[in-house]
């Protein structure tokens, strides 16, 4: 019985290619680009972000999460979902 | 998802799949909808049984869902071997003079005999194109009960009898309806043909703006679990019990918490009596009501409520009645939150750049302005592209906005079409994108001619050797 989710093994570097001696070209696989905030913890959740995602009639907290994660003046990231539903 | 399934492999025997989450609205084939083949293949590899549950084309309205999605839906159902399929007894499309629009949310249909017949007609039409039996999901309704409408249970009963289909009994929805002032769970169950229930959904919810929301946000509440324990033995044809939870809330429960929920489901499942009977049930008579002086057609209901929840002002008695319902105001807020959620998930770096540059209010003001002129889109990719179009027209003076936006548009395009895209930057792109990924504005950026090639290949993670960066000597 195959274990799901083991199909993609990720390398740890991106290919860099110099083009025509004029520019630095960086190749970024699109499925990775959505996870720049996680960098080395790449997941495959991106597909659900582009499709139709209305399986519930609740409160979509993604915007609140994004708003609440803010960097303070010292460069610290703060925020989380602890306040949801309160 | 896979990690959770793997760790719960000893408990999970069936997985319900919402196929539209990995669909796109257009692609290289020119078809109106297409599924990501990689995602489909991964889902097919799951060892668990699969059920296909639609989320994008509800059948509760007077307008038949876009029939162009049905060939793909039938293919997904067959590919995944789903023994039956289901959709919501809701609507999400409406019309205003000169245009059709999506409502951005699953909305409750008009609960009259005419509404029931309209929904039944939609189901009968959809079922013609599906290879397996069809069940309709009982929905949540945040609106006040209306004078003269069918009760929630009578409405569902009329629909499934008229369509001769099964019921996906979402007990959390019914419980939420009771908590929010609609029909009680017991009264609802007394009015529906229990032998038509093939599947049961359980979920958690949360309090928000004075309502209990069907938010799929965590544990099954204990009172709901007690109700399920009473109900399941009374369902002779139930074949599946599903726990629903959004990935956003996985960190809150953790794997141990999810395991406890699945164990709860096993305990409930064990309460059923005897062997299930064959799927199918005798037709029930449709409840008839006398038409009152304030007769509303299903289409008028859908257009009025749909317009209201996306922020348009309506005219007439029905619009005034709905506008006075706090549930309609809740729906307006939920639609906005859904739309905002789509934007920050698909244009994540652009959203962060806007917030970091101009504060939260900048992004909120832009979204409000965007929403005032653009109706919701069914698919997140389309909503994101529409917002990207809007931002480009605004020509905001935000440093690097055009480049970041072009990059994220390229990512979406590449994911949908499989085509490689090239994006030019006038500064070190990785330093810029990485800073936004870390929710901060970048430090001083090296200027130069850079290109980012966004490719469709998988199998490469993101890691940067900073020594290789910097503008080339001219």
């Amino acid at each position: 019985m195959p274990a799901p989710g083991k199909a993609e093994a990720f390398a740890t570097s991106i290919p860099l290619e110099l083009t025509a001696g004029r520019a630095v070209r960086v190749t970024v696989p699109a499925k990775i680009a959505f996870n720049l905030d996680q960098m080395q913890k790449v997941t495959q959740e991106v597909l659900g972000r582009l499709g139709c995602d209305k399986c519930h009639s609740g409160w979509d907290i993604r915007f609140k999460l994004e708003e609440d994660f803010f960097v303070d003046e010292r460069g610290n990231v703060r925020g989380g979902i602890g306040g949801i539903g309160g | 998802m896979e990690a959770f399934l793997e760790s719960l492999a000893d408990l999970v025997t069936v997985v319900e799949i919402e196929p539209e989450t990995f669909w796109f609205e257009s692609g290289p084939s020119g078809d109106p909808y297409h599924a990501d083949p990689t995602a489909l293949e991964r889902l097919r590899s799951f060892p668990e049984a699969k059920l296909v549950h639609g989320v994008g084309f509800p059948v509760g309205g007077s307008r038949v869902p876009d029939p162009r999605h049905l060939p793909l839906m039938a293919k997904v159902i067959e590919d995944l071997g789903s023994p039956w399929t289901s959709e919501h007894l809701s609507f999400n499309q409406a019309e205003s003079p000169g245009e059709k629009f999506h409502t951005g949310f699953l909305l409750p249909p008009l609960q009259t005999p005419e509404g029931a017949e309209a929904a039944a007609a939609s189901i009968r039409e959809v079922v013609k194109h599906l290879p397996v039996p069809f069940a309709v999901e009982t929905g949540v309704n945040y609106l006040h009960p209306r004078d003269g409408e069918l009760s929630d249970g009578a409405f569902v009963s009329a629909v499934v009898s008229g369509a001769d289909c099964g019921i996906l009994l979402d007990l959390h929805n019914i419980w939420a309806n009771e908590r929010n002032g609609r029909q009680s769970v017991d009264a609802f169950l007394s009015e529906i043909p229990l032998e038509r229930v093939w599947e049961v959904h359980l979920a958690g919810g949360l309090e928000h703006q004075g309502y209990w929301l069907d938010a799929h946000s965590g544990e099954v509440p204990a009172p709901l679990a007690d109700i399920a324990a009473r109900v399941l033995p009374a369902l002779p044809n139930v074949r599946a019990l599903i726990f629903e939870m959004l990935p956003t809330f996985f960190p809150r429960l953790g794997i141990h918490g999810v395991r406890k929920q699945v164990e709860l489901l096993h305990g409930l499942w064990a309460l059923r009596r005897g062997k299930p009977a064959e799927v199918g049930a005798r037709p029930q008579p449709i409840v008839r009501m006398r038409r009152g002086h304030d007769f509303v057609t299903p289409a008028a209901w859908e257009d009025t409520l749909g317009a209201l929840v996306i922020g348009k002002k309506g005219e007439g008695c029905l619009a005034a009645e709905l506008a006075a319902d706090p549930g309609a105001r809740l729906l307006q807020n939920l639609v906005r939150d859904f739309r905002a959620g789509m934007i920050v998930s698909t244009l994540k770096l652009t959203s962060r750049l806007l917030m970091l540059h101009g504060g939260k209010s900048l992004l909120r003001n832009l979204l409000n302005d965007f929403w005032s002129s653009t109706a919701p889109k069914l698919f997140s990719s389309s909503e994101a592209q529409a917002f990207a179009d809007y931002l480009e027209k605004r020509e905001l003076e935000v440093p690097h906005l055009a480049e970041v936006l072009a990059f994220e548009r390229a990512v979406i395009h590449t994911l949908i079409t499989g085509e490689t895209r090239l994006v030019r930057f006038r500064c070190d792109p990785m330093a810029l994108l990485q800073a936004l990924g870390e929710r901060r504005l970048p430090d001083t950026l090296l200027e130069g001619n850079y290109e980012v090639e966004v490719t469709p290949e998988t199998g490469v993670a993101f890691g940067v050797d900073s020594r290789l960066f910097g503008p080339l000597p001219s």
Side-chain angles (χ1 to χ4, degrees):
Chain A
M1 183 180 296
K6 293 293 187 183
E8 295 85 10
F10 297 112
T12 55
S13 64
I14 58 173
L16 301 179
E17 180 184 341
L18 305 184
T19 57
R22 302 295 301 172
V24 175
R25 177 177 290 193
V26 184
T27 302
V28 182
K31 290 184 181 178
I32 308 305
F34 261 103
N35 295 282
L36 286 165
D37 54 335
Q38 299 181 31
M39 302 303 282
Q40 304 298 336
K41 289 184 177 180
V42 175
T43 71
Q44 290 289 308
E45 300 293 334
V46 61
L47 293 170
R49 298 176 192 172
L50 290 179
C52 175
D53 194 18
K54 311 219 173 30
C55 66
H56 66 105
S57 299
W59 176 29
D60 187 333
I61 63 168
R62 291 175 294 179
F63 184 72
K64 178 172 171 54
L65 288 177
E66 194 61 38
E67 269 198 333
D68 286 353
F69 267 109
F70 230 67
V71 180
D72 65 22
E73 61 277 8
R74 295 178 182 173
N76 299 316
V77 176
R78 59 179 174 77
I81 62 172
I84 299 298
Chain B
M1 175 67 178
E2 285 92 340
F4 272 88
L5 280 179
E6 197 172 343
S7 62
L8 298 170
D10 57 322
L11 286 175
V12 175
T13 56
V14 58
V15 177
E16 188 157 86
I17 291 159
E18 295 159 354
E20 297 97 321
T21 58
F22 60 91
W23 286 12
F24 305 125
E25 271 186 299
S26 57
S29 66
D31 294 333
Y33 307 102
H34 78 284
D36 181 280
T38 308
L40 193 57
E41 195 55 44
R42 284 170 50 226
L43 292 168
R44 191 161 40 199
S45 74
F46 288 1
E48 295 85 1
K50 293 106 181 163
L51 285 173
V52 172
H53 176 53
V55 295
F57 301 91
V59 293
S62 63
R63 297 171 177 100
V64 177
D66 183 356
R68 298 176 303 163
H69 87 282
L70 289 167
L72 181 56
M73 183 62 81
K75 179 181 185 307
V76 171
I77 289 167
E78 291 186 327
D79 282 354
L80 296 177
S82 181
W84 69 86
T85 189
S86 52
E87 246 293 358
H88 295 79
L89 185 54
S90 310
F91 74 93
N92 68 352
Q93 51 181 342
E95 293 182 14
S96 60
E99 67 165 346
K100 297 178 179 178
F101 62 92
H102 283 285
T103 62
F105 208 75
L106 295 173
L107 296 174
L110 179 67
Q111 289 194 185
T112 63
E114 290 77 14
E117 177 48 33
S122 287
I123 295 170
R124 289 195 297 267
E125 182 58 32
V126 166
V127 165
K128 288 179 190 171
H129 304 277
L130 297 176
V132 294
F134 181 89
V136 68
E137 177 175 342
T138 57
V140 72
N141 187 345
Y142 300 125
L143 300 176
H144 285 320
R146 299 181 70 231
D147 290 341
E149 74 176 6
L150 294 176
S151 67
D152 297 348
F155 179 70
V156 169
S157 181
V159 171
V160 299
S161 300
D164 193 19
C165 68
I167 296 174
L168 194 174
L169 177 62
D170 190 313
L171 278 176
H172 186 264
N173 284 348
I174 305 306
W175 188 63
N177 288 344
E178 177 181 324
R179 289 192 59 157
N180 294 327
R182 296 189 64 87
Q183 188 178 33
S184 72
V185 173
D186 284 346
F188 178 89
L189 293 171
S190 73
E191 292 184 341
I192 65 169
L194 296 178
E195 70 276 12
R196 287 185 182 270
V197 176
W198 303 343
E199 179 180 343
V200 172
H201 278 180
L202 290 174
L206 51 79
E207 290 274 359
H208 183 62
Q209 297 179 3
Y211 287 80
W212 184 262
L213 297 189
D214 172 45
H216 298 180
S217 51
E219 302 95 331
V220 177
L224 180 59
D226 292 343
I227 290 171
R230 282 195 290 112
V231 171
L232 277 162
L235 305 176
N237 295 314
V238 67
R239 304 285 184 87
L241 177 60
I242 302 289
F243 170 61
E244 300 183 290
M245 192 175 76
L246 291 174
T248 318
F249 295 97
F250 274 154
R252 203 183 199 194
L253 245 67
I255 188 63
H256 181 66
V258 176
R259 171 172 281 274
K260 283 181 68 175
Q261 293 302 299
V262 181
E263 288 172 347
L264 169 69
L265 263 61
H266 275 279
L268 294 170
W269 191 245
L271 298 174
R272 292 172 309 130
R273 298 191 189 107
K275 289 184 178 179
E278 288 300 310
V279 168
R282 66 185 186 282
Q284 299 273 319
I286 289 185
V287 178
R288 294 292 176 195
M289 289 177 62
R290 198 165 12 174
R291 184 178 292 188
H293 67 280
D294 56 347
F295 178 72
V296 176
T297 66
W301 169 267
E302 293 153 22
D303 296 345
T304 305
L305 180 58
L308 187 64
V309 301
I310 69 167
K312 292 185 176 180
K313 289 182 179 175
E315 295 178 354
C317 295
L318 179 60
E321 175 197 327
L322 288 171
D325 189 331
R329 287 197 290 278
L330 171 74
L331 287 167
Q332 286 179 345
N333 293 335
L334 295 178
V335 169
R336 282 198 283 264
D337 286 331
F338 250 117
R339 299 188 74 180
M342 288 196 283
I343 295 299
V344 298
S345 296
T346 51
L347 297 174
K348 181 174 285 189
L349 302 182
T350 300
S351 301
R352 289 178 182 175
L353 177 58
L354 290 168
M355 282 196 285
L356 288 163
H357 175 81
K360 298 176 183 179
S361 60
L362 174 60
L363 180 57
R364 280 190 174 269
N365 290 339
L366 289 168
L367 287 171
N368 283 327
D369 190 43
F370 167 63
W371 294 332
S372 70
S373 61
T374 309
K377 308 295 181 188
L378 182 58
F379 286 77
S380 297
S381 56
S382 300
E383 183 84 8
Q385 286 164 348
F387 187 57
D389 291 342
Y390 164 83
L391 287 178
E392 285 186 353
K393 286 180 185 167
R394 288 292 305 263
E395 297 182 341
L396 300 168
E397 292 187 4
V398 177
H400 309 298
L401 176 62
E403 292 155 305
V404 174
L405 188 59
F407 171 73
E408 293 200 297
R409 290 184 82 127
V411 169
I412 293 170
H413 178 87
T414 298
L415 283 170
I416 291 177
T417 65
E419 298 169 357
T420 294
R421 278 288 174 101
L422 205 60
V423 184
R424 290 189 168 80
F425 283 76
R426 301 295 297 175
C427 65
D428 178 351
M430 288 302 117
L432 172 61
L433 299 176
Q434 184 164 357
L436 295 174
E438 294 168 2
R439 297 181 172 86
R440 60 177 174 81
L441 286 172
D443 301 326
T444 304
L445 292 167
L446 290 172
E447 293 185 354
N449 294 319
Y450 294 83
E451 292 173 337
V452 172
E453 185 180 44
V454 182
T455 70
E457 291 83 9
T458 58
V460 182
F462 193 93
V464 175
D465 184 342
S466 59
R467 290 169 301 177
L468 295 176
F469 277 90
L472 293 175
S474 56

